[in-house]
Amino acid sequence: MGRITEDLIRRNAEHNECVIFSLEELSLHQQEIEKLEHIDKWCRELKILYLQNNLIGKIENVSKLKKLEYLNLALNNIEKIENLEGCEGLTKLDLTVNFIGELSSIKTLQHNIHLKEIFLMGNPCADFEGYRPFVVATLQQLKWLDGKEIERSERIQALQNFPVIERQIREQEKAYCLRRAKDKEEAQRKLQEEQENREKKSRPGFDGRWYTDIAATLPSSVESKDHPQAPEIQEGEYTKKKLDDCEDDLEFWNKPSLFTPESRLETLRHIEKQREDQEKLSGKKKKVKLPRTLITEDGKALNVNEPKLDFSLKDDEKRNQIILDLAVYRYMDTSLIDVDVQPTYVRVMVKGKPFQLVLPAEVKPDSSSVKRSQTTGHLLICMPKVGEVITGGQRASKPVKSTSDSSMEQTNKRTLPDSIPKWLYRF
């Protein structure tokens, strides 16, 4: 059952920055709403309200909408026109394809002096003999009825014949109400029978076997500890249940039924049940996705590109660093990106999906830097290497505190030209 909630209204008020108290137009069509509620308290400034193609059975809780100009309640389960006297500014009312059989209920609209147009086509009352003259004579403020303009001569003639037409309408209303009462009783009886049938099917032994007898019918291999045939039995039961559901569904749609509010509700319940069953089955079938392996058991890092991003890895010998250019989505928020640089690999989490790349050389995580382009959105990760340094554009080995390499260190220092300033030296 669909309900009108504050969250639903806010989701349909994006054009008004999700502010509902000042909302002037609201569309809640095709929401499976069964009851009209809360709108007159939350949206007092409404001028246009769309509620078509729902399951609303009664017009209510709209009398405080003084500024309402257009109300669309087409394709609902409304059987009577009521509770619209308070909508002082109402100029257009659409009740197409409902179940209005009490045509005399339109008299409640006589107080809506600004009402100029109404739609009643597709209702049982529209088939009454004298329907149009009765409406034209009753609502003298109307200019249009069912999309057709009301001529002055048509209104004069309708007023002249009104006493006779009113008697005819009353008799047809009475006959319709009797038929409608019988339809309601029949629908109630069918609903009760279906509930009893469902209860019988849910009882043990309905299929001719008690649950305690199932083990006896299974082969001895199933009763063993390993149960090698148990999955096959479960698969067979699943297939059988699916076939039974398909047969029930086919039987439901092929069953003849009257077009009534009860049949519309029954159809909705059937669709809801199908949806729930499908969700349950899909939940059972859904496999749990195992987390992706990033580091093997022996500590080896793996190359992973789960977000499927383009990238380029460059070895900048001039600056003695490795540069990773990762093509992150341009409009993605930076808060959804997490970078982790390790000595032998770099990992970037993009919306929870890992991108991991093993580096060709060891790097310094503490000296690494990350930048993001404001134009392309690309992520640029600069990772200085370990063990080598740049001195004035020439490569030199990093000094190591050992006696065996002391002579090499002195040789390297002697090879540096005297013309290079000392501030360029990076040891």
Side-chain angles (χ1 to χ4, degrees):
M1 173 181 174
R3 298 289 300 270
I4 297 178
T5 62
E6 184 177 345
D7 180 61
L8 177 64
I9 295 177
R10 288 192 188 279
R11 281 191 278 112
N12 288 275
E14 294 180 352
H15 58 283
N16 199 46
E17 298 180 351
C18 296
V19 179
I20 64 174
F21 75 90
S22 61
L23 201 60
E24 294 186 355
E25 181 176 340
L26 179 61
S27 179
L28 296 176
H29 61 283
Q30 293 182 336
Q31 298 289 337
E32 298 179 357
I33 298 169
E34 296 185 31
K35 186 177 181 180
L36 194 50
E37 55 187 347
H38 303 310
I39 294 179
D40 60 336
K41 298 177 183 177
W42 297 339
C43 311
R44 294 285 185 91
E45 303 296 319
L46 273 182
K47 293 183 178 180
I48 301 174
L49 179 57
Y50 296 100
L51 289 164
Q52 67 269 28
N53 202 0
N54 283 293
L55 296 161
I56 299 169
K58 183 179 180 180
I59 303 174
E60 56 186 340
N61 298 319
V62 292
S63 59
K64 295 179 181 179
L65 302 177
K66 306 296 182 182
K67 298 181 181 180
L68 188 64
E69 298 176 3
Y70 176 34
L71 177 59
N72 191 332
L73 284 165
L75 291 164
N76 277 282
N77 292 350
I78 296 168
E79 299 189 59
K80 185 179 180 180
I81 302 172
E82 56 187 339
N83 301 322
L84 289 172
E85 299 88 341
C87 302
E88 299 171 357
L90 191 64
T91 59
K92 184 177 179 181
L93 178 62
D94 193 343
L95 294 167
T96 305
V97 190
N98 275 276
F99 298 92
I100 299 172
E102 296 183 39
L103 186 57
S104 58
S105 63
I106 64 167
K107 290 183 178 180
T108 59
L109 297 175
Q110 290 176 338
H111 302 286
N112 302 91
I113 58 175
H114 299 290
L115 186 62
K116 304 300 178 187
E117 187 174 5
I118 189 172
F119 290 87
L120 291 170
M121 62 180 72
N123 285 277
C125 65
D127 297 329
F128 290 175
E129 185 179 351
Y131 149 74
R132 186 175 176 89
F134 180 81
V135 177
V136 170
T138 303
L139 303 177
Q140 298 185 31
Q141 74 272 34
L142 278 186
K143 301 295 182 184
W144 296 79
L145 175 59
D146 294 335
K148 183 179 178 182
E149 188 176 3
I150 301 172
E151 302 290 341
R152 186 167 179 268
S153 58
E154 182 183 7
R155 175 161 281 120
I156 293 172
Q157 187 176 0
L159 289 170
Q160 289 175 347
N161 300 329
F162 183 71
V164 178
I165 295 171
E166 187 177 19
R167 283 196 299 271
Q168 292 177 347
I169 294 296
R170 294 288 185 186
E171 291 174 359
Q172 293 174 85
E173 273 185 355
K174 188 177 180 180
Y176 172 80
C177 288
L178 290 173
R179 292 196 304 271
R180 184 77 187 96
K182 291 181 180 178
D183 292 342
K184 286 182 179 180
E185 290 178 2
E186 183 67 17
Q188 188 66 28
R189 185 185 60 80
K190 287 183 178 179
L191 181 62
Q192 191 173 356
E193 288 179 357
E194 289 177 359
Q195 289 177 348
E196 291 176 357
N197 290 335
R198 282 197 294 268
E199 289 177 0
K200 287 181 180 178
K201 288 182 179 180
S202 63
R203 293 173 189 169
F206 177 78
D207 56 352
R209 295 192 311 175
W210 292 87
Y211 293 114
T212 53
D213 297 336
I214 293 177
T217 60
L218 297 177
S220 57
S221 58
V222 177
E223 297 176 0
S224 63
K225 185 177 181 180
D226 296 333
H227 296 284
Q229 296 183 10
E232 297 178 4
I233 295 170
Q234 290 177 359
E235 185 68 25
E237 289 177 355
Y238 167 76
T239 306
K240 184 178 181 298
K241 187 178 184 305
K242 192 173 181 180
L243 290 173
D244 292 341
D245 291 342
C246 290
E247 290 177 1
D248 293 341
D249 184 56
L250 191 63
E251 181 183 355
F252 176 82
W253 293 112
N254 289 335
K255 181 178 64 175
S257 63
L258 298 173
F259 182 64
T260 61
E262 291 77 21
S263 65
R264 289 195 72 202
L265 287 170
E266 184 185 6
T267 303
L268 174 67
R269 301 287 183 265
H270 181 75
I271 294 173
E272 284 180 346
K273 184 177 179 298
Q274 278 188 318
R275 192 183 302 151
E276 290 174 0
D277 293 343
Q278 189 65 29
E279 288 176 356
K280 289 179 182 178
L281 291 174
S282 61
K284 290 179 181 178
K285 283 184 169 184
K286 191 175 181 181
K287 296 181 179 179
V288 179
K289 189 176 180 181
L290 297 175
R292 186 179 289 274
T293 303
L294 301 176
I295 307 293
T296 60
E297 294 180 358
D298 56 356
K300 182 181 178 182
L302 301 177
N303 291 327
V304 177
N305 189 1
E306 191 169 318
K308 299 180 180 179
L309 300 174
D310 294 332
F311 69 94
S312 64
L313 190 66
K314 179 182 176 183
D315 191 352
D316 187 358
E317 295 183 356
K318 184 177 180 181
R319 293 181 175 82
N320 191 41
Q321 61 183 358
I322 298 174
I323 301 174
L324 172 63
D325 186 354
L326 189 61
V328 178
Y329 312 117
R330 182 178 179 181
Y331 297 105
M332 178 179 288
D333 194 279
T334 308
S335 62
L336 300 174
I337 304 170
D338 184 30
V339 180
D340 180 20
V341 179
Q342 296 294 331
T344 57
Y345 66 90
V346 59
R347 181 186 301 164
V348 182
M349 299 297 292
V350 181
K351 289 184 70 175
K353 296 182 178 181
F355 171 91
Q356 183 169 286
L357 190 65
V358 178
L359 301 175
E362 190 175 350
V363 299
K364 302 177 182 179
D366 296 338
S367 303
S368 301
S369 63
V370 182
K371 296 180 182 179
R372 191 177 182 196
S373 172
Q374 294 183 352
T375 55
T376 63
H378 284 212
L379 205 66
L380 197 68
I381 307 175
C382 300
M383 298 165 283
K385 293 182 185 178
V386 173
E388 294 180 348
V389 293
I390 297 298
T391 56
Q394 297 182 6
R395 184 183 300 177
S397 300
K398 183 178 179 181
V400 182
K401 294 182 180 180
S402 63
T403 55
S404 60
D405 295 337
S406 58
S407 58
M408 187 182 297
E409 182 180 353
Q410 294 174 1
T411 305
N412 288 338
K413 287 184 178 180
R414 285 195 296 272
T415 58
L416 294 174
D418 297 334
S419 59
I420 297 177
K422 292 183 178 180
W423 58 268
L424 284 176
Y425 296 173
R426 297 180 61 190
F427 294 107

